[in-house]
Amino acid sequence: MKSELAHAELIAVLTAVTSDAPRVMTVRAGEALPSGPLEVGHRSLQSGLRTWVHEQTGHPVGYLEQLYTFADSDRAPQGTATRTISISYLGLVREQAAPGAGVPGWHGWYEYFPWEDHREGRPKALAAIEEGLAAWAGSDRSRSEHRHRRIAFTFGIDKAPWNEDLVLQRYELLFEAGLVVEAGASSAPESGRAMFADHRRILATAIARLRSKIKYRPVVFELMPENFTLLQLQRTVEALAGLKLHKPNFRRLIDQQELIEETGELSNEAGGRPAKLFRYRRAILDEHAISSSRLPLSRN
Amino acid sequence: MKSELAHAELIAVLTAVTSDAPRVMTVRAGEALPSGPLEVGHRSLQSGLRTWVHEQTGHPVGYLEQLYTFADSDRAPQGTATRTISISYLGLVREQAAPGAGVPGWHGWYEYFPWEDHREGRPKALAAIEEGLAAWAGSDRSRSEHRHRRIAFTFGIDKAPWNEDLVLQRYELLFEAGLVVEAGASSAPESGRAMFADHRRILATAIARLRSKIKYRPVVFELMPENFTLLQLQRTVEALAGLKLHKPNFRRLIDQQELIEETGELSNEAGGRPAKLFRYRRAILDEHAISSSRLPLSRN
DNA sequence: CGCAATATACTCATGACGAGTATAAGTTGG
DNA sequence: CCAACTTATACTCGTCATGAGTATATTGCG
């Protein structure tokens, strides 16, 4: 088994939610995701990354999941013949790091993806984006129709609904159309903040994964404080999904799952009727997934 | 950015379905998954793997998806200090390779996981397995209760329903309990065929991923011939899921999706009323996913 | 006191899904 | 050539999850 030798590095997308804004940990003044070499000492990738993050941020990682491994040869550093393999991870942390020596910084997701936040309705950035996409679709007559349909589906235009999960598809479409700085576009407010190399693409992967995951696994609680109100929980989910939710139905859903329990205490941080405080029932099996079958089973 | 140098290899889980049996491509007489070093020439991992598989099997890969990257230091080959990074992929091919020089062989999934096929009811292998698991759970008094609940949930015992997606969790539980050969158990018919290193674990990951994927993405069609009947399609899905489906409801589901169209021809391979032949509508966007929201949206 | 703000508890309609039944159109064997 | 069997196809029905809307508690504050 003679295989090529390659550099191996880990890239982490660490996310926290503070005051209803989802944030990601960055370095280089928000230009890059934190990354580091794969070190010899660590038994597994997971455990290595865990200790590393804990050292860097001062906070433990509640949930850690592998995202994707990139090894395209054009990702090799300039001048090197050796290939670089980048293994990216998604991690959820409960709080932001105290703004220490200024090394790591936290930035809001939607600085990088202004078109992804639909909590206050369809973002204005989308008007300019749709224009740019339409121009791109029209520029190639033979593929024009297919492109238009793809755009409509991906961005929820015409009768297509907005699908919050398609974060990566949207970014890749914008990339293909040359509408983001990483693909050669000149900087524009609606195209969001650019990042080093393909880091913004990795961030898009992470957001997509998380948005889809919160629907069938109770990972949100890794972002919540010990005790929280139902509205706080809802606001956190809304921040991640970039959507407003229906309050009564959200409560009903949470009820049914039986994932949380009352602490007995009340919170009156917000100036209204005090809300009951809840806590996550850690006793619940983490496997607790509502396997929404989607297959027409027959029970024998 | 000085990172450790590592060996990089690709491991492929190639799956085809022939005569209602899902199979995986193997080497070494069914003992290992095909793998190879990451080569310099290839631009990306995907494209490299695609050409490699095409050369090896004579069939193009219809669908290719990255599974997981392992880099645990105990995976390094004996005597080497260098770490090995294994990147595993799931690939779907339409037909089996012609049994050529005998190099690659195809083996049924359920040789390796006899407890996963529930098409003919609960497999008998599960009786012995449940016994073994119960003994393991009882052997540690302090964790006994938690283990019992985990076993019941994972294997669908007591009131818990069988969840076909938990393939990996089941294998890992059996591994933890020391009930598979890879974990030191002596060979037993109910524990399935063992594989080299952690290849059976990778296969479990692949099966789990595919079982979950067929529910929300039209990947089954990558395994079907050009034209097929609805029953053939159903049998293929059943083979993958390891479950029997309800025929009328299956047809209704397929109808609604509008993923296929009639060819106009009929098939009378089976000795009954001839069935209409269908084909997959490739025109349909691959993104065509029924985003089953699971979040209590509010439409503004 | 009355109003604003938040929390909490309902009701209602629709539609997806599990389950079962009925009818059509061929093949096979006495 | 008819009867039995096999497979295909078309319905119906009840239940429950989900989207949507409305009504009723509790608090703080001017």
Side-chain angles (χ1 to χ4, degrees):
Chain A
M1 209 191 320
K2 68 161 209 292
S3 43
E4 178 192 2
L5 283 175
H7 287 288
E9 73 170 346
L10 300 179
I11 302 186
V13 180
L14 296 176
T15 283
V17 177
T18 328
S19 43
D20 301 345
R23 295 173 211 269
V24 58
M25 200 185 112
T26 56
V27 294
R28 292 205 231 165
E31 276 226 326
L33 295 170
S35 65
L38 176 59
E39 288 184 22
V40 197
H42 300 131
R43 253 235 319 281
S44 74
L45 293 177
Q46 300 261 359
S47 65
L49 197 57
R50 258 179 208 285
T51 53
W52 180 76
V53 170
H54 194 240
E55 283 166 17
Q56 293 289 311
T57 69
H59 288 289
V61 191
Y63 177 81
L64 193 62
E65 176 187 329
Q66 199 181 91
L67 276 179
Y68 205 80
T69 301
F70 303 91
D72 304 349
S73 49
D74 47 3
R75 299 192 78 258
Q78 293 290 337
T80 338
T82 328
R83 189 192 289 267
T84 297
I85 299 179
S86 304
I87 308 169
S88 56
Y89 276 84
L90 165 66
L92 304 183
V93 297
R94 210 167 292 276
E95 298 171 60
Q96 289 189 207
V103 186
W106 292 84
H107 286 265
W109 281 2
Y110 302 126
E111 288 178 33
Y112 303 97
F113 303 99
W115 57 86
E116 291 291 347
D117 187 1
H118 286 228
R119 283 176 292 179
E120 309 300 325
R122 214 174 157 82
K124 288 166 210 84
L126 272 172
I129 287 175
E130 284 178 34
E131 253 182 70
L133 285 171
W136 171 72
S139 68
D140 181 334
R141 211 179 308 158
S142 64
R143 267 169 286 189
S144 170
E145 200 199 341
H146 179 257
R147 282 182 179 176
H148 271 113
R149 270 187 316 182
R150 191 169 152 220
I151 292 168
F153 175 85
T154 313
F155 281 87
I157 305 173
D158 285 344
K159 280 158 195 170
W162 173 260
N163 184 339
E164 74 279 7
D165 285 348
L166 304 179
V167 187
L168 182 59
Q169 285 90 328
R170 282 188 282 270
Y171 179 73
E172 289 188 331
L173 192 48
L174 291 175
F175 194 102
E176 242 182 284
L179 295 173
V180 290
V181 174
E182 290 93 330
S186 55
S187 184
E190 72 271 12
S191 56
R193 211 173 150 179
M195 290 184 104
F196 167 74
D198 56 356
H199 285 199
R200 192 149 60 140
R201 192 169 177 280
I202 296 175
L203 179 54
T205 309
I207 296 175
R209 187 80 132 257
L210 186 51
R211 281 187 174 179
S212 129
K213 200 113 195 175
I214 48 173
K215 286 171 192 158
Y216 60 98
R217 286 287 292 272
V219 287
V220 214
F221 301 104
E222 303 294 343
L223 296 165
M224 304 296 299
E226 185 63 23
N227 301 320
F228 49 85
T229 70
L230 288 179
L231 189 58
Q232 281 167 2
L233 183 63
Q234 181 179 344
R235 293 285 178 249
T236 304
V237 174
E238 288 176 342
L240 299 175
L243 288 172
K244 271 275 173 34
L245 303 181
H246 185 96
K247 194 178 346 189
N249 292 348
F250 180 78
R251 299 166 144 268
R252 180 177 57 189
L253 194 70
I254 298 294
D255 259 30
Q256 292 166 351
Q257 319 249 30
E258 299 190 321
L259 291 171
I260 62 176
E261 60 192 3
E262 301 184 12
T263 66
E265 285 165 273
L266 297 177
S267 154
N268 51 357
E269 286 183 19
R273 169 176 168 181
K276 286 179 190 162
L277 280 172
F278 292 84
R279 82 168 72 90
Y280 179 52
R281 293 175 59 199
R282 295 228 157 256
I284 285 289
L285 267 190
D286 278 300
E287 278 92 3
H288 190 293
I290 321 91
S291 82
S292 60
S293 49
R294 272 264 153 221
L295 281 183
L297 295 182
S298 72
R299 307 245 161 91
N300 285 340
Chain B
M1 208 189 326
K2 69 161 204 296
S3 43
E4 179 192 1
L5 282 174
H7 287 288
E9 76 172 341
L10 299 179
I11 302 186
V13 180
L14 296 176
T15 283
V17 177
T18 327
S19 44
D20 301 346
R23 296 174 210 269
V24 59
M25 200 186 113
T26 56
V27 294
R28 290 204 231 167
E31 275 225 326
L33 295 171
S35 65
L38 175 59
E39 287 181 25
V40 196
H42 301 128
R43 254 233 319 282
S44 73
L45 294 178
Q46 301 260 359
S47 65
L49 197 56
R50 258 179 207 285
T51 52
W52 179 78
V53 171
H54 195 240
E55 283 166 15
Q56 293 289 311
T57 69
H59 289 289
V61 191
Y63 177 81
L64 195 60
E65 175 187 330
Q66 199 181 93
L67 276 179
Y68 205 80
T69 301
F70 303 90
D72 305 349
S73 49
D74 48 2
R75 299 192 79 257
Q78 292 291 338
T80 337
T82 327
R83 189 192 291 264
T84 297
I85 299 179
S86 304
I87 308 170
S88 56
Y89 276 84
L90 165 66
L92 304 182
V93 298
R94 210 168 293 275
E95 300 170 58
Q96 288 189 206
V103 185
W106 292 85
H107 286 266
W109 281 3
Y110 303 126
E111 289 177 34
Y112 303 98
F113 303 99
W115 56 88
E116 291 291 346
D117 187 0
H118 287 229
R119 283 176 293 179
E120 310 299 324
R122 215 176 156 82
K124 288 167 208 81
L126 272 171
I129 287 175
E130 285 177 31
E131 253 182 70
L133 285 171
W136 170 72
S139 68
D140 182 334
R141 210 180 307 157
S142 65
R143 268 170 283 189
S144 170
E145 200 199 342
H146 180 258
R147 281 184 178 175
H148 271 113
R149 270 187 316 184
R150 192 171 151 217
I151 292 168
F153 175 86
T154 312
F155 281 86
I157 305 173
D158 284 344
K159 282 157 195 170
W162 173 261
N163 184 339
E164 73 279 5
D165 286 348
L166 304 180
V167 187
L168 181 59
Q169 285 89 331
R170 281 187 283 269
Y171 179 73
E172 289 188 329
L173 192 48
L174 291 175
F175 194 101
E176 243 183 284
L179 295 173
V180 290
V181 175
E182 290 93 330
S186 53
S187 183
E190 72 270 11
S191 56
R193 208 170 153 183
M195 290 184 104
F196 167 75
D198 57 356
H199 285 198
R200 191 147 63 138
R201 191 169 178 281
I202 295 175
L203 179 54
T205 310
I207 296 176
R209 187 78 132 259
L210 186 50
R211 282 188 174 178
S212 130
K213 200 111 193 175
I214 49 173
K215 286 171 193 159
Y216 60 97
R217 286 288 291 272
V219 287
V220 215
F221 301 104
E222 303 295 343
L223 296 165
M224 303 297 298
E226 185 63 22
N227 300 319
F228 50 84
T229 70
L230 288 179
L231 189 59
Q232 282 167 4
L233 183 63
Q234 182 180 344
R235 293 285 177 249
T236 305
V237 175
E238 288 175 340
L240 298 175
L243 288 172
K244 271 275 175 26
L245 303 181
H246 185 96
K247 192 172 358 182
N249 291 348
F250 180 78
R251 305 168 77 94
R252 179 176 58 188
L253 194 70
I254 298 294
D255 260 30
Q256 291 166 352
Q257 318 250 31
E258 299 188 323
L259 292 172
I260 61 177
E261 60 193 2
E262 301 183 13
T263 66
E265 286 164 272
L266 296 177
S267 154
N268 50 356
E269 284 182 24
R273 168 177 169 180
K276 287 180 190 160
L277 280 172
F278 292 85
R279 82 167 73 89
Y280 179 52
R281 294 176 58 200
R282 296 226 158 258
I284 286 290
L285 266 191
D286 278 300
E287 279 92 2
H288 190 293
I290 321 91
S291 82
S292 60
S293 50
R294 273 262 153 221
L295 280 182
L297 296 180
S298 74
R299 307 247 160 89
N300 285 340

